[in-house]
Amino acid sequence: MVTSSPEAPPRVVVVTGVSRFLGARVAARLAADPRVDRVIGLDPFAPSPALAGLLTDVELIRADARAAGTAIAELGAEAVVHLAVTSAPDPQSGGRAAMKEQNVIGTMQLLAAAQGADRLRKLVVRSSTAAYGASFRDPAVFTEDTEPRAVPRGSFARDILDIEGYVRGFRRRRPDVAATVLRFAPFISSTAETSLTRYFAQPLIPTVLGRDARLQFVHVDDALEILHRSVVEDHPGTFNVAGAGVLALSQAVRRAGRVSLPLPEGTLSSAAALARNIGVGQIGLDQIDLFVHGRVVDTGRLVKEFGFTPRTTAAAFDDFIHGHRGGRALSADRLAAAEHAILDGIRRVRAAATQDQEHVAP
Protein backbone atom coordinates (compact mmCIF):
# COMPACT_ATOMS: atom_id res chain seq x y z
CA MET A 1 0.00 0.00 0.00
CA VAL A 2 1.32 3.45 -0.94
CA THR A 3 1.04 6.22 1.63
CA SER A 4 -1.30 8.93 0.46
CA SER A 5 -0.08 12.48 -0.06
CA PRO A 6 0.00 14.48 3.17
CA GLU A 7 -2.73 16.98 3.98
CA ALA A 8 -3.08 19.41 6.83
CA PRO A 9 -4.42 17.77 10.01
CA PRO A 10 -8.13 18.32 10.63
CA ARG A 11 -8.90 21.34 12.78
CA VAL A 12 -12.17 20.04 14.26
CA VAL A 13 -12.38 16.44 15.45
CA VAL A 14 -15.34 14.58 16.98
CA VAL A 15 -14.50 11.56 19.16
CA THR A 16 -17.22 9.14 20.27
CA GLY A 17 -17.01 7.04 23.41
CA VAL A 18 -15.09 9.53 25.57
CA SER A 19 -16.59 8.21 28.80
CA ARG A 20 -14.28 5.18 28.46
CA PHE A 21 -10.58 4.50 28.89
CA LEU A 22 -9.61 4.51 25.20
CA GLY A 23 -11.87 7.30 24.01
CA ALA A 24 -10.86 9.68 26.80
CA ARG A 25 -7.16 9.19 26.12
CA VAL A 26 -7.50 9.60 22.37
CA ALA A 27 -9.50 12.82 22.83
CA ALA A 28 -6.96 14.15 25.35
CA ARG A 29 -4.03 13.45 23.01
CA LEU A 30 -5.74 15.19 20.12
CA ALA A 31 -6.65 18.18 22.30
CA ALA A 32 -3.00 18.51 23.28
CA ASP A 33 -1.91 18.56 19.62
CA PRO A 34 -1.42 22.21 18.57
CA ARG A 35 -2.38 21.33 15.01
CA VAL A 36 -5.95 20.53 16.13
CA ASP A 37 -8.13 23.50 17.08
CA ARG A 38 -11.14 21.76 18.66
CA VAL A 39 -11.89 18.30 19.98
CA ILE A 40 -15.50 17.43 20.78
CA GLY A 41 -16.29 14.36 22.82
CA LEU A 42 -19.65 12.75 22.03
CA ASP A 43 -21.02 10.30 24.61
CA PRO A 44 -24.38 9.70 26.29
CA PHE A 45 -22.61 9.03 29.61
CA ALA A 46 -20.50 11.33 31.73
CA PRO A 47 -16.86 10.26 32.18
CA SER A 48 -15.68 9.12 35.59
CA PRO A 49 -13.88 11.70 37.74
CA ALA A 50 -10.53 10.12 36.85
CA LEU A 51 -11.20 10.37 33.12
CA ALA A 52 -12.82 13.80 33.41
CA GLY A 53 -9.46 15.11 34.58
CA LEU A 54 -8.01 14.19 31.18
CA LEU A 55 -10.75 16.00 29.28
CA THR A 56 -10.37 19.57 30.51
CA ASP A 57 -9.54 20.76 26.97
CA VAL A 58 -12.21 18.63 25.30
CA GLU A 59 -15.72 19.95 24.66
CA LEU A 60 -18.13 17.33 25.98
CA ILE A 61 -21.58 16.75 24.52
CA ARG A 62 -23.90 14.34 26.34
CA ALA A 63 -25.56 12.68 23.36
CA ASP A 64 -25.67 9.31 21.63
CA ALA A 65 -25.34 8.44 17.96
CA ARG A 66 -28.89 9.64 17.23
CA ALA A 67 -27.73 13.20 17.84
CA ALA A 68 -24.54 12.75 15.85
CA GLY A 69 -25.99 14.20 12.65
CA THR A 70 -26.72 17.55 14.22
CA ALA A 71 -23.45 17.63 16.16
CA ILE A 72 -21.20 16.74 13.23
CA ALA A 73 -22.90 19.16 10.84
CA GLU A 74 -23.20 22.12 13.21
CA LEU A 75 -19.64 21.76 14.54
CA GLY A 76 -18.14 21.55 11.08
CA ALA A 77 -16.27 18.37 11.93
CA GLU A 78 -13.44 17.52 9.58
CA ALA A 79 -12.69 14.18 11.25
CA VAL A 80 -14.71 11.65 13.24
CA VAL A 81 -13.08 9.03 15.46
CA HIS A 82 -15.59 6.30 16.31
CA LEU A 83 -14.56 4.52 19.51
CA ALA A 84 -18.00 3.91 21.05
CA VAL A 85 -17.76 0.16 20.53
CA THR A 86 -18.13 -2.13 23.53
CA SER A 87 -16.67 -5.65 23.60
CA ALA A 88 -18.87 -7.23 26.27
CA PRO A 89 -22.49 -6.85 27.40
CA ASP A 90 -23.10 -5.13 30.72
CA PRO A 91 -26.03 -6.76 32.58
CA GLN A 92 -26.59 -3.52 34.50
CA SER A 93 -26.89 -1.47 31.30
CA GLY A 94 -29.28 -3.58 29.29
CA GLY A 95 -27.14 -6.61 28.48
CA ARG A 96 -26.75 -7.91 24.95
CA ALA A 97 -29.63 -5.85 23.54
CA ALA A 98 -28.06 -2.59 24.70
CA MET A 99 -24.65 -3.73 23.44
CA LYS A 100 -25.98 -4.36 19.93
CA GLU A 101 -27.92 -1.10 20.00
CA GLN A 102 -24.73 0.80 20.73
CA ASN A 103 -22.34 -1.13 18.50
CA VAL A 104 -24.40 -1.84 15.41
CA ILE A 105 -27.29 0.63 15.40
CA GLY A 106 -25.08 3.37 16.85
CA THR A 107 -22.49 2.93 14.12
CA MET A 108 -25.16 2.89 11.40
CA GLN A 109 -26.60 6.16 12.69
CA LEU A 110 -23.17 7.76 13.05
CA LEU A 111 -22.20 6.87 9.48
CA ALA A 112 -25.52 8.16 8.19
CA ALA A 113 -24.72 11.47 9.88
CA ALA A 114 -21.16 11.46 8.55
CA GLN A 115 -22.40 10.85 5.03
CA GLY A 116 -24.19 14.20 5.02
CA ALA A 117 -21.33 16.19 6.61
CA ASP A 118 -19.90 18.31 3.78
CA ARG A 119 -16.70 19.27 5.60
CA LEU A 120 -15.83 15.77 6.75
CA ARG A 121 -12.69 14.36 5.19
CA LYS A 122 -11.54 11.70 7.67
CA LEU A 123 -13.21 8.80 9.44
CA VAL A 124 -11.39 6.51 11.88
CA VAL A 125 -13.21 3.44 13.22
CA ARG A 126 -12.16 1.11 15.98
CA SER A 127 -12.51 -2.50 14.89
CA SER A 128 -11.01 -5.74 16.18
CA THR A 129 -9.13 -8.82 15.02
CA ALA A 130 -12.26 -10.61 16.24
CA ALA A 131 -13.52 -9.83 12.73
CA TYR A 132 -11.63 -12.95 11.57
CA GLY A 133 -13.54 -15.19 13.96
CA ALA A 134 -11.91 -18.28 15.44
CA SER A 135 -12.30 -21.81 14.13
CA PHE A 136 -10.35 -24.99 13.38
CA ARG A 137 -10.21 -23.92 9.71
CA ASP A 138 -8.27 -20.71 10.42
CA PRO A 139 -4.98 -20.05 8.61
CA ALA A 140 -1.77 -19.76 10.62
CA VAL A 141 -1.74 -15.98 10.08
CA PHE A 142 -4.53 -13.61 9.03
CA THR A 143 -3.91 -10.72 6.65
CA GLU A 144 -6.33 -7.85 6.16
CA ASP A 145 -7.67 -9.57 3.04
CA THR A 146 -8.49 -12.88 4.76
CA GLU A 147 -12.18 -13.66 5.04
CA PRO A 148 -13.58 -15.36 8.18
CA ARG A 149 -13.66 -19.14 7.74
CA ALA A 150 -16.75 -19.52 9.95
CA VAL A 151 -19.48 -17.28 11.34
CA PRO A 152 -18.29 -16.21 14.82
CA ARG A 153 -20.27 -17.47 17.81
CA GLY A 154 -19.48 -14.45 19.96
CA SER A 155 -21.68 -11.36 19.98
CA PHE A 156 -18.75 -8.92 19.82
CA ALA A 157 -17.26 -10.57 16.72
CA ARG A 158 -20.64 -10.52 14.96
CA ASP A 159 -21.05 -6.84 15.82
CA ILE A 160 -17.61 -6.09 14.38
CA LEU A 161 -18.54 -7.75 11.09
CA ASP A 162 -21.69 -5.61 10.91
CA ILE A 163 -19.73 -2.45 11.74
CA GLU A 164 -17.16 -3.09 9.02
CA GLY A 165 -19.96 -3.82 6.57
CA TYR A 166 -21.44 -0.39 7.24
CA VAL A 167 -18.03 1.23 6.77
CA ARG A 168 -17.62 -0.44 3.38
CA GLY A 169 -20.96 1.03 2.34
CA PHE A 170 -19.87 4.45 3.59
CA ARG A 171 -16.67 4.24 1.54
CA ARG A 172 -18.68 3.64 -1.60
CA ARG A 173 -20.98 6.58 -0.91
CA ARG A 174 -18.25 9.00 0.24
CA PRO A 175 -15.05 8.13 -1.64
CA ASP A 176 -13.80 11.64 -0.86
CA VAL A 177 -13.50 10.75 2.86
CA ALA A 178 -10.36 8.91 3.96
CA ALA A 179 -11.75 6.02 6.02
CA THR A 180 -9.38 4.14 8.32
CA VAL A 181 -10.43 0.88 9.98
CA LEU A 182 -8.14 -0.37 12.74
CA ARG A 183 -8.45 -4.04 13.69
CA PHE A 184 -6.93 -4.10 17.15
CA ALA A 185 -5.69 -7.22 18.88
CA PRO A 186 -6.77 -7.40 22.55
CA PHE A 187 -5.51 -4.38 24.50
CA ILE A 188 -3.09 -4.88 27.34
CA SER A 189 -0.82 -2.71 29.52
CA SER A 190 -0.04 -1.99 33.14
CA THR A 191 -3.05 0.35 33.37
CA ALA A 192 -5.64 -1.12 30.97
CA GLU A 193 -8.80 -2.57 32.52
CA THR A 194 -10.46 -5.10 30.22
CA SER A 195 -12.06 -8.52 30.56
CA LEU A 196 -8.77 -10.04 29.37
CA THR A 197 -6.56 -8.16 31.83
CA ARG A 198 -8.92 -9.13 34.65
CA TYR A 199 -8.68 -12.72 33.45
CA PHE A 200 -4.87 -12.78 33.60
CA ALA A 201 -4.73 -10.79 36.84
CA GLN A 202 -6.45 -13.51 38.85
CA PRO A 203 -4.53 -16.22 40.72
CA LEU A 204 -6.42 -19.14 39.18
CA ILE A 205 -7.00 -19.07 35.42
CA PRO A 206 -9.47 -21.46 33.77
CA THR A 207 -8.17 -22.72 30.41
CA VAL A 208 -9.40 -25.17 27.79
CA LEU A 209 -8.22 -28.73 28.32
CA GLY A 210 -5.96 -29.98 25.52
CA ARG A 211 -5.61 -26.54 23.88
CA ASP A 212 -2.78 -24.03 23.98
CA ALA A 213 -3.89 -21.15 21.81
CA ARG A 214 -1.46 -18.69 20.19
CA LEU A 215 -2.29 -15.16 21.29
CA GLN A 216 -1.36 -11.63 20.26
CA PHE A 217 -1.81 -8.39 22.18
CA VAL A 218 -1.33 -4.70 21.50
CA HIS A 219 -0.06 -2.28 24.12
CA VAL A 220 -2.53 0.51 24.83
CA ASP A 221 0.10 3.21 24.31
CA ASP A 222 0.86 1.84 20.84
CA ALA A 223 -2.86 1.74 20.04
CA LEU A 224 -3.13 5.39 21.09
CA GLU A 225 -0.21 6.31 18.84
CA ILE A 226 -1.77 4.58 15.84
CA LEU A 227 -5.13 6.24 16.49
CA HIS A 228 -3.51 9.65 16.78
CA ARG A 229 -1.57 9.20 13.55
CA SER A 230 -4.73 8.02 11.79
CA VAL A 231 -6.31 11.42 12.52
CA VAL A 232 -3.45 13.85 11.93
CA GLU A 233 -1.96 11.91 9.00
CA ASP A 234 -3.56 10.28 5.97
CA HIS A 235 -3.79 6.50 6.18
CA PRO A 236 -6.95 5.26 4.45
CA GLY A 237 -7.52 1.53 4.48
CA THR A 238 -7.92 -1.39 6.87
CA PHE A 239 -5.05 -2.37 9.16
CA ASN A 240 -4.25 -5.09 11.66
CA VAL A 241 -2.83 -3.56 14.84
CA ALA A 242 -0.94 -6.00 17.06
CA GLY A 243 2.43 -6.63 18.60
CA ALA A 244 4.76 -8.89 16.62
CA GLY A 245 5.30 -12.41 17.86
CA VAL A 246 2.96 -14.64 19.82
CA LEU A 247 2.49 -16.04 23.30
CA ALA A 248 0.93 -19.42 23.88
CA LEU A 249 -1.78 -19.25 26.52
CA SER A 250 0.27 -21.52 28.78
CA GLN A 251 3.27 -19.19 28.41
CA ALA A 252 1.16 -16.18 29.32
CA VAL A 253 -0.18 -17.92 32.42
CA ARG A 254 3.33 -18.87 33.57
CA ARG A 255 4.79 -15.41 32.84
CA ALA A 256 2.01 -13.89 34.93
CA GLY A 257 2.88 -16.23 37.81
CA ARG A 258 -0.60 -17.71 37.83
CA VAL A 259 -1.97 -21.24 38.01
CA SER A 260 -3.91 -22.78 35.14
CA LEU A 261 -7.06 -24.81 35.73
CA PRO A 262 -7.68 -26.85 32.53
CA LEU A 263 -11.36 -27.60 31.89
CA PRO A 264 -13.18 -29.23 28.97
CA GLU A 265 -14.49 -26.62 26.59
CA GLY A 266 -18.13 -27.39 27.38
CA THR A 267 -17.45 -27.35 31.11
CA LEU A 268 -15.67 -24.00 30.84
CA SER A 269 -18.70 -22.52 29.10
CA SER A 270 -21.01 -23.87 31.82
CA ALA A 271 -18.67 -22.81 34.61
CA ALA A 272 -18.28 -19.25 33.29
CA ALA A 273 -21.27 -18.20 35.39
CA LEU A 274 -19.31 -19.26 38.48
CA ALA A 275 -16.33 -17.07 37.66
CA ARG A 276 -17.37 -14.38 40.11
CA ASN A 277 -16.63 -16.77 42.98
CA ILE A 278 -12.93 -16.53 42.16
CA GLY A 279 -12.91 -12.98 40.81
CA VAL A 280 -12.25 -13.89 37.17
CA GLY A 281 -15.14 -11.89 35.77
CA GLN A 282 -17.25 -12.67 32.72
CA ILE A 283 -15.87 -15.04 30.08
CA GLY A 284 -17.89 -14.92 26.88
CA LEU A 285 -17.95 -17.05 23.74
CA ASP A 286 -15.52 -14.65 22.03
CA GLN A 287 -12.91 -15.34 24.70
CA ILE A 288 -13.56 -19.09 24.87
CA ASP A 289 -13.19 -19.44 21.09
CA LEU A 290 -10.00 -17.39 21.26
CA PHE A 291 -8.62 -19.70 23.98
CA VAL A 292 -9.52 -22.76 21.88
CA HIS A 293 -8.26 -21.69 18.46
CA GLY A 294 -6.06 -18.65 19.06
CA ARG A 295 -5.55 -15.90 16.50
CA VAL A 296 -2.43 -14.42 14.86
CA VAL A 297 -2.46 -11.51 12.39
CA ASP A 298 0.10 -10.04 10.03
CA THR A 299 0.99 -6.38 10.68
CA GLY A 300 3.23 -5.74 7.69
CA ARG A 301 0.72 -3.36 6.10
CA LEU A 302 0.49 -1.30 9.29
CA VAL A 303 4.27 -0.98 9.74
CA LYS A 304 4.82 0.00 6.10
CA GLU A 305 1.97 2.52 5.94
CA PHE A 306 2.40 4.20 9.34
CA GLY A 307 6.18 3.88 9.69
CA PHE A 308 5.58 2.70 13.24
CA THR A 309 6.19 -0.68 14.83
CA PRO A 310 4.23 -1.52 18.00
CA ARG A 311 6.17 -3.22 20.77
CA THR A 312 6.06 -6.99 20.66
CA THR A 313 3.28 -9.07 22.18
CA ALA A 314 5.71 -10.37 24.80
CA ALA A 315 6.86 -6.84 25.71
CA ALA A 316 3.27 -5.60 26.00
CA PHE A 317 2.37 -8.54 28.23
CA ASP A 318 5.45 -7.98 30.39
CA ASP A 319 4.32 -4.40 31.00
CA PHE A 320 0.97 -5.76 32.16
CA ILE A 321 2.77 -8.16 34.51
CA HIS A 322 4.91 -5.32 35.91
CA GLY A 323 1.79 -3.29 36.69
CA HIS A 324 0.20 -6.20 38.54
CA ARG A 325 3.30 -7.40 40.35
CA GLY A 326 1.90 -6.16 43.64
CA GLY A 327 -1.49 -7.76 43.01
CA ARG A 328 -3.20 -10.60 44.77
CA ALA A 329 -0.99 -13.38 46.03
CA LEU A 330 -1.86 -16.98 45.38
CA SER A 331 -2.25 -18.40 48.87
CA ALA A 332 -3.00 -22.06 49.49
CA ASP A 333 -6.31 -21.14 51.09
CA ARG A 334 -7.33 -18.98 48.12
CA LEU A 335 -6.36 -21.69 45.63
CA ALA A 336 -8.27 -24.34 47.60
CA ALA A 337 -11.35 -22.12 47.81
CA ALA A 338 -11.23 -21.37 44.08
CA GLU A 339 -10.84 -25.02 43.13
CA HIS A 340 -13.71 -25.95 45.47
CA ALA A 341 -15.97 -23.30 43.93
CA ILE A 342 -15.31 -24.49 40.38
CA LEU A 343 -15.56 -28.21 41.14
CA ASP A 344 -18.72 -27.72 43.19
CA GLY A 345 -20.27 -25.82 40.31
CA ILE A 346 -19.30 -28.51 37.82
CA ARG A 347 -20.90 -31.15 40.04
CA ARG A 348 -24.11 -29.11 40.17
CA VAL A 349 -24.17 -28.71 36.39
CA ARG A 350 -23.65 -32.45 35.88
CA ALA A 351 -26.27 -33.35 38.48
CA ALA A 352 -28.81 -31.07 36.84
CA ALA A 353 -28.07 -32.60 33.43
CA THR A 354 -28.48 -36.13 34.81
CA GLN A 355 -31.77 -35.19 36.45
CA ASP A 356 -33.06 -33.74 33.19
CA GLN A 357 -32.18 -36.94 31.35
CA GLU A 358 -34.04 -39.01 33.94
CA HIS A 359 -37.13 -36.86 33.51
CA VAL A 360 -37.25 -37.43 29.74
CA ALA A 361 -36.40 -41.14 29.91
CA PRO A 362 -39.33 -43.46 29.03
Side-chain angles (χ1 to χ4, degrees):
M1 179 176 291
V2 179
T3 305
S4 51
S5 57
E7 294 185 9
R11 293 172 297 174
V12 181
V13 182
V14 171
V15 181
T16 69
V18 293
S19 69
R20 299 188 188 127
F21 181 93
L22 189 67
R25 280 160 176 76
V26 169
R29 281 176 63 113
L30 289 169
D33 192 322
R35 296 171 292 179
V36 179
D37 292 340
R38 296 178 67 191
V39 178
I40 300 96
L42 192 68
D43 202 300
F45 304 103
S48 66
L51 294 180
L54 299 174
L55 301 172
T56 54
D57 295 325
V58 176
E59 302 172 40
L60 300 179
I61 297 179
R62 293 281 298 276
D64 58 14
R66 295 180 180 86
T70 303
I72 293 173
E74 292 183 353
L75 295 168
E78 297 178 6
V80 171
V81 186
H82 183 39
L83 303 177
V85 178
T86 183
S87 60
D90 183 353
Q92 297 181 345
S93 301
R96 169 57 185 155
M99 175 184 175
K100 186 169 184 178
E101 175 76 16
Q102 176 176 305
N103 288 350
V104 178
I105 306 303
T107 299
M108 180 177 64
Q109 293 170 330
L110 181 77
L111 294 181
Q115 182 178 335
D118 294 337
R119 298 185 63 181
L120 186 71
R121 56 190 177 91
K122 290 191 179 185
L123 171 72
V124 180
V125 177
R126 173 196 169 184
S127 185
S128 168
T129 55
Y132 300 113
S135 78
F136 67 93
R137 292 182 291 176
D138 289 348
V141 179
F142 288 97
T143 69
E144 288 86 351
D145 299 321
T146 307
E147 295 292 333
R149 302 299 173 89
V151 177
R153 294 194 304 163
S155 55
F156 176 57
R158 294 198 303 271
D159 286 355
I160 288 297
L161 291 178
D162 287 340
I163 289 169
E164 290 203 7
Y166 290 133
V167 175
R168 287 193 294 272
F170 176 84
R171 283 170 167 159
R172 290 192 295 269
R173 294 187 295 271
R174 287 292 305 268
D176 58 310
V177 176
T180 303
V181 174
L182 300 173
R183 291 176 178 163
F184 290 106
F187 298 119
I188 204 162
S189 74
S190 60
T191 57
E193 178 73 12
T194 69
S195 59
L196 203 62
T197 59
R198 290 190 292 271
Y199 171 81
F200 282 113
Q202 302 309 306
L204 186 69
I205 299 181
T207 58
V208 180
L209 184 66
R211 299 284 186 169
D212 198 12
R214 298 180 305 150
L215 305 176
Q216 276 183 318
F217 306 110
V218 61
H219 196 282
V220 168
D221 290 348
D222 295 331
L224 292 173
E225 179 66 22
I226 291 295
L227 282 161
H228 188 91
R229 292 188 184 203
S230 297
V231 177
V232 300
E233 301 171 356
D234 295 310
H235 301 292
T238 299
F239 304 92
N240 293 328
V241 187
V246 301
L247 279 177
L249 179 56
S250 61
Q251 290 177 308
V253 172
R254 288 195 299 272
R255 287 171 88 105
R258 308 313 192 203
V259 173
S260 174
L261 178 64
L263 298 171
E265 181 182 347
T267 303
L268 179 59
S269 299
S270 300
L274 304 171
R276 295 188 182 210
N277 294 336
I278 58 172
V280 172
Q282 294 295 328
I283 301 175
L285 290 176
D286 290 299
Q287 287 79 20
I288 291 175
D289 285 346
L290 180 63
F291 297 155
V292 172
H293 303 288
R295 187 184 301 120
V296 180
V297 299
D298 178 80
T299 59
R301 181 184 293 182
L302 173 86
V303 173
K304 180 178 179 181
E305 170 76 13
F306 284 76
F308 176 80
T309 303
R311 70 199 74 185
T312 66
T313 284
F317 194 77
D318 285 346
D319 182 62
F320 159 75
I321 294 171
H322 179 77
H324 291 77
R325 188 164 292 164
R328 305 178 190 182
L330 182 63
S331 67
D333 290 343
R334 185 175 178 82
L335 176 58
E339 290 176 337
H340 178 76
I342 289 246
L343 294 175
D344 185 58
I346 293 171
R347 284 192 291 267
R348 289 201 301 269
V349 170
R350 288 177 175 170
T354 301
Q355 192 174 35
D356 289 342
Q357 291 176 355
E358 291 176 349
H359 286 164
V360 299

